[in-house]
Amino acid sequence: MRKIVLGLLLLTAIAVVVDFTAAAYSEYRVSRSLRAGGELSADPSVTMHGFPFVLQAWHGDFRNVDIRASANRPDIPGQILVEATLNGVHLPAHALLDGDTRAVPVDRVSGRMRIEPVELGRLFNIPDLDMRGPPADKSDGTGGSGGSGVTTQGALILSGTIPLGPEPRSTERVSVKADLMLDGDQVRIVATDLYHGEETAGANPVGNSVMNSFELSPDLDKNAVLARFTRTIDTRDLPFGVHPTSVKALGGNIIVEGEGENMTIDMDRFAQP
């Protein structure tokens, strides 16, 4: 009986190793295909979930696949993080091994684009740009803005050091209130007013830095400051051609998300705008 138990344990261990090896090799093949098709500078991270993997490959149905990569976009300086989660991927094993991934039926696709603090600073040309949550509401106590009773979505506090004039050494750190919104395929960050920091006690931090009160120069050009903190980002299509449906600020990042169902995707379009 002991030999039988040991034999079963050995077979199980071998099966797990074989399954893990097959999954790792498949992830490598998909990663290389995505890099070549998407013209990426490095192999993206590919994780094919579910056990046993071999059984999924045999049926050509993969339950869940996560993909993550850093990619360049012409409208955003530096690299941004693009991610996709694929549920119900229908891909025959021979197509996976051959790298034939140009027309892959998928039950559900979730795509995300993450713009991190460094890239946001480059986008605004403000290296020390800091992004935080909205100031405390002074409404009717229902959590709304302006007494409407509806929570303001996408409100931000942006802070950074900007030049005051043509003299490069004359700078000032200022803060503005801004709205974050999705307008079609574009993310709009619109500065609406200067922020003096009186309401920081109720602020909900988005980044990790500490907000201070700012004494603004009396001759500060308000319109020029608001224009400096206003940007439009053309997100175009998210990974695999998914259209953006929402935008949010989280942890100092701007995250654009979208979903699609019953799609046939082209792996080459993973990180291509």
Side-chain angles (χ1 to χ4, degrees):
M1 181 60 69
R2 182 179 300 175
K3 291 182 179 180
I4 293 176
V5 172
L6 291 176
L8 290 176
L9 290 176
L10 180 60
L11 289 175
T12 301
I14 292 174
V16 170
V17 170
V18 170
D19 196 79
F20 176 81
T21 303
Y25 178 73
S26 298
E27 291 167 352
Y28 167 77
R29 292 288 298 175
V30 172
S31 177
R32 295 294 295 177
S33 177
L34 288 171
R35 178 178 180 177
E39 299 179 356
L40 303 173
S41 59
D43 292 348
S45 170
V46 178
T47 304
M48 308 181 81
H49 300 279
F51 181 85
F53 172 82
V54 172
L55 188 59
Q56 295 183 75
W58 178 267
H59 293 291
D61 291 317
F62 301 91
R63 301 170 201 164
N64 182 282
V65 180
D66 285 328
I67 304 170
R68 172 182 289 195
S70 296
N72 293 305
R73 293 184 64 95
D75 52 332
I76 302 175
Q79 289 191 325
I80 63 170
L81 189 65
V82 287
E83 303 169 312
T85 299
L86 311 179
N87 300 111
V89 181
H90 308 290
L91 181 66
H94 67 83
L96 179 64
L97 295 176
D98 295 340
D100 184 10
T101 57
R102 297 207 167 189
V104 181
V106 179
D107 294 343
R108 187 169 178 265
V109 180
S110 298
R112 292 170 296 281
M113 183 177 76
R114 188 184 303 266
I115 309 173
E116 298 179 321
V118 172
E119 280 65 44
L120 281 174
R122 291 173 178 168
L123 180 66
F124 284 86
N125 196 23
I126 304 175
D128 65 343
L129 181 72
D130 173 61
M131 181 171 65
R132 292 175 62 86
D137 282 325
K138 291 183 177 179
S139 61
D140 58 3
T142 61
S145 176
S148 65
V150 180
T151 301
T152 302
Q153 298 294 326
L156 300 172
I157 302 298
L158 301 177
S159 303
T161 303
I162 61 174
L164 293 178
E167 174 57 48
R169 288 177 293 179
S170 178
T171 62
E172 183 171 350
R173 183 169 176 82
V174 299
S175 295
V176 301
K177 298 179 182 179
D179 290 331
L180 174 66
M181 65 194 77
L182 185 63
D183 184 5
D185 288 346
Q186 293 183 329
V187 171
R188 297 181 61 202
I189 305 172
V190 182
T192 58
D193 199 0
L194 296 177
Y195 179 63
H196 298 271
E198 299 91 341
E199 301 169 324
T200 54
N204 177 27
V206 175
N208 296 321
S209 60
V210 178
M211 177 70 73
N212 298 313
S213 296
F214 297 98
E215 295 295 332
L216 300 177
S217 300
D219 56 347
L220 193 66
D221 188 338
K222 178 179 177 179
N223 292 331
V225 172
L226 297 183
R228 184 68 182 264
F229 283 90
T230 296
R231 287 291 186 277
T232 297
I233 306 170
D234 188 359
T235 62
R236 308 182 197 179
D237 291 334
L238 295 178
F240 300 122
V242 174
H243 291 283
T245 56
S246 67
V247 61
K248 62 183 177 183
L250 182 64
N253 301 286
I254 290 180
I255 302 173
V256 190
E257 298 177 303
E259 292 185 355
E261 295 185 352
N262 300 319
M263 298 177 60
T264 299
I265 64 173
D266 183 350
M267 289 292 193
D268 289 351
R269 292 197 63 189
F270 169 64
Q272 292 182 353

